[in-house]
Amino acid sequence: MATESSILAGLEPRAFWRNFEALTRIARPSRHEEPVIEHVRRWAEEHGLELRQDEGRNLVIQVPATPGRENAPTITLQGHLDIVCERDPTSPNDPAEGRIVLVRNGEWLTADGTTLGADDGVAIAAMMALVEDESLAHGRLELLMTVAEEVGLEGANALDPSLVGGSILVNLDSEEDGKLTVGCAGSTDTWIRIEARRESVDDGAVSLTVTVSGGQGGHSGMGIALGRSNAVKVLGRVLRETSHAVPLRLVSFEGGKSRNAIPRDATAVCSIAAGDEEAFRGAVGKATETIRDAFSTTDPALTITVDGAETRVDPWGAEATAKLLDAVALVPTGPLAMSQDFDDLVETSTSLGEALTEGDRLTLHSLSRSSNDSALPEVIATLDAAARLAGGELEVKVNYGGWRPKLDSPALAAAKTVYERLFGEPPIVTAVHAGLETAVIGSKVHGLDMLSFGPQIEFPHSPDERVSIPTVERFWRLLVAFLDESSAETT
Ligand SMILES: [Zn+2]
């Protein structure tokens, strides 16, 4: 057992912080969780607990009920073993090698130059502390520890559902104190692929690069309703508007780095006739003015530039260019429907995340999300129609269904009661417009009553990651009281 360092001395709950600190010395990058799996395996053995592992390497540990609570429903507690291992390039510390140095800054705990791993070390430490604290009362528990959450929920996707026997699942991977999360979005990837013929150019044709940059971007789900510019869409728009004044033919069209983020950069190479360069630059400038004005509140640093380009590749023909720009215009991006259960929450959205030119082909990759599985087919149909109108094809990959909020859930009712009793005010009940492991697990294990909460964690996935110490204690008290409440009635 790890000894308590002076930094965490005196912090409550002691068993939680002891386990949290021990985890900071164990390497646990996504897909390379073996050291932490070994750590948990040894711990389970020491405590005489049965541990099972599925082919996806996820762990499930069975914890017997405390005396008198044997008839209570089994509760599955869930969190992920892996952490994001970011570091400042100059830092001597490295989470990927199990070197996280804790720093206490008033009420915050952070790490020196690296991610802290509170996302989701908090969940694993809490599960271990629950077992070690013999003063607690709870029914039978299942500790579900997944791997590779941070790389597209891989572990949850590979989960063997027969390992989960609980009727209630509490996910411990939320990052906002005072909130109970009861829903999230499912997602579907699509790729529109359009093949078009390239044609040679007349003598003296000029190649120019148009570049869009300076937008704020952000998470393509959580940030989709912030009104920020999408660099791929902006590039499409500026070229369309320019083409009304000066004929242009596309050589290439690229933008976005990840389907999960709103694109901040996009670049097109255009071919124009000799002598059109000045008019082209003028037309781009004119279009830029209107577009910058459209985003003056949300993206004041949006920039569009024209530079000389050198290319030996023939551009697409004039007709093909018009079709490709039509396709970019037709692909929707942004929120499509708001939640009827929660204020200011997007229910359905789609984000054009990447544009890619390969040979004669343009690919437009979107990620569409909804907590309402019945809403997504219409979005996919729109993308399919855009593809066909542009003479292309659509590939669809359904990732996982949404976690649709059930506001009459018994687990939610119990958590609300307990929260109010402990803290004297009601919790905020909400859902997120992003994917959580609960969506994946819920679509594999039917009828699970699910809920998610956690302490306040800020700037996760970055070296600024920090967890609020007082909210850890609040999180712990809520968890302990919830487990007591959910097992008390049947005794
Ligand atoms: Zn997490």
Side-chain angles (χ1 to χ4, degrees), residues 344-412:
D344 301 324
L345 178 74
V346 176
E347 182 182 80
T348 305
S349 76
T350 186
S351 177
L352 173 52
E354 290 175 297
L356 186 67
T357 299
E358 293 162 301
D360 295 348
R361 183 165 71 191
L362 176 70
T363 301
L364 301 173
H365 181 186
S366 296
L367 184 62
S368 307
R369 308 173 192 264
S370 184
S371 57
N372 178 352
D373 288 345
S374 305
L376 271 185
E378 189 186 2
V379 183
I380 307 309
T382 307
L383 292 161
D384 188 37
R388 269 182 300 116
L389 286 170
E393 284 178 0
L394 187 76
E395 182 190 336
V396 180
K397 180 175 166 267
V398 177
N399 299 312
Y400 45 85
W403 171 20
R404 202 166 174 172
K406 276 201 291 282
L407 295 179
D408 57 354
S409 132
L412 173 60

Side-chain angles (χ1 to χ4, degrees), residues 79-80 82-84 118-121 149-150 171-175 436-437 457 460-461:
H80 57 91
D82 60 317
I83 63 168
V84 171
D119 169 16
D120 196 16
E149 188 268 354
E150 301 288 4
N171 167 281
L172 308 175
D173 190 21
S174 281
E175 290 161 359
L436 299 176
E437 287 179 299
I457 296 173
H461 304 186

